[in-house]
Amino acid sequence: MLGITDLSTYLVGLALIILLPGPNSLYVVSVAARRGPRVAYRAAAGVLCGDTVLMTLSAGGVASLLQTSPVLFAVVKFAGAGYLTWLAVGMLRGAWALWRGREARRAERKEGAPKAAKEAVERPFRRALVVSLLNPKAILFFISFFVQFVDPSYAHPVLSFLTLGAWAQLFSLTYLSILIFSGTFLAATFRRRRRLTAGLSAGAGAAFLGFAAKLSLASAS
């Protein structure tokens, strides 16, 4: 079908891969817990757009360029690790402020501020998009995973890649939606327990530092 071989195996593998925790899903659930599902879907849209760009680049052969150019791979790799570290530091600082009770007083002072001003500080769509794009391993993954299920004799391989990418986006959107509403539910539970929320934020920040370290140690092969 459309030059795709063994679609059932692809879907099973795709589900397992999407369920693995990563910086994108962690950021989306963090936004959902802090700002609700409407804003979290902006972050989810950033993830989906970033993945779409990476899939397109993969299909166009950019992954091969990264594999054959260690310098280019290193630039993208360390840029991604640096951005994840910056996000992690922000999360840890926010957790520390929340632990000390500063966040509550700051929210009271800004309660009358326009909502648009608050949203402009974080910009979930742009942040999630950048996190997705600064991940050279994702480009390498997409082309190495997709190519296993594309029939080389099929006359229109681009159509095969598009179909596989559409399935990946459908799975991602479903998974992110589950995370968003789970995050909203957890937010209602932890809203009155600031220290516990601070601990969770600190854990998320530490996880982002781990992602940054893992990315900085990644190789193109």
Side-chain angles (χ1 to χ4, degrees), residues 44-107:
V47 172
L48 296 177
C49 288
D51 286 348
T52 298
V53 172
L54 294 181
M55 292 177 191
T56 303
L57 293 175
S58 299
V62 173
S64 298
L65 176 61
L66 289 180
Q67 286 178 314
T68 57
S69 177
V71 174
L72 178 59
F73 181 83
V75 170
V76 178
K77 178 179 68 173
F78 287 112
Y83 187 75
L84 291 179
T85 301
W86 181 76
L87 290 181
V89 171
M91 288 182 177
L92 293 173
R93 290 179 61 186
W96 176 248
L98 187 60
W99 183 271
R100 299 184 61 181
R102 295 177 180 174
E103 200 66 24
R105 294 193 295 271
R106 190 177 303 170

Side-chain angles (χ1 to χ4, degrees), residues 10 20 39 46 64 71 77 83-84 99 120 147 177 182 190 206 216:
Y10 169 76
L20 292 175
V39 180
S64 298
V71 174
K77 178 179 68 173
Y83 187 75
L84 291 179
W99 183 271
V147 74
S177 295
S182 297
F190 297 125
S216 65

Side-chain angles (χ1 to χ4, degrees), residues 84-168:
L84 291 179
T85 301
W86 181 76
L87 290 181
V89 171
M91 288 182 177
L92 293 173
R93 290 179 61 186
W96 176 248
L98 187 60
W99 183 271
R100 299 184 61 181
R102 295 177 180 174
E103 200 66 24
R105 294 193 295 271
R106 190 177 303 170
E108 291 176 359
R109 290 197 299 267
K110 295 183 178 180
E111 188 174 358
K115 186 177 181 182
K118 295 181 181 180
E119 293 180 351
V121 174
E122 186 171 3
R123 296 174 183 170
F125 175 85
R126 187 175 71 177
R127 180 168 292 187
L129 177 64
V130 173
V131 170
S132 296
L133 293 178
L134 292 179
N135 189 356
K137 274 294 189 182
I139 302 177
L140 301 177
F141 161 75
F142 281 132
I143 195 168
S144 62
F145 186 64
F146 282 6
V147 74
Q148 300 178 47
F149 301 95
V150 175
D151 185 355
S153 63
Y154 187 62
H156 306 287
V158 173
L159 186 59
S160 303
F161 274 96
L162 289 176
T163 304
L164 293 173
W167 276 110

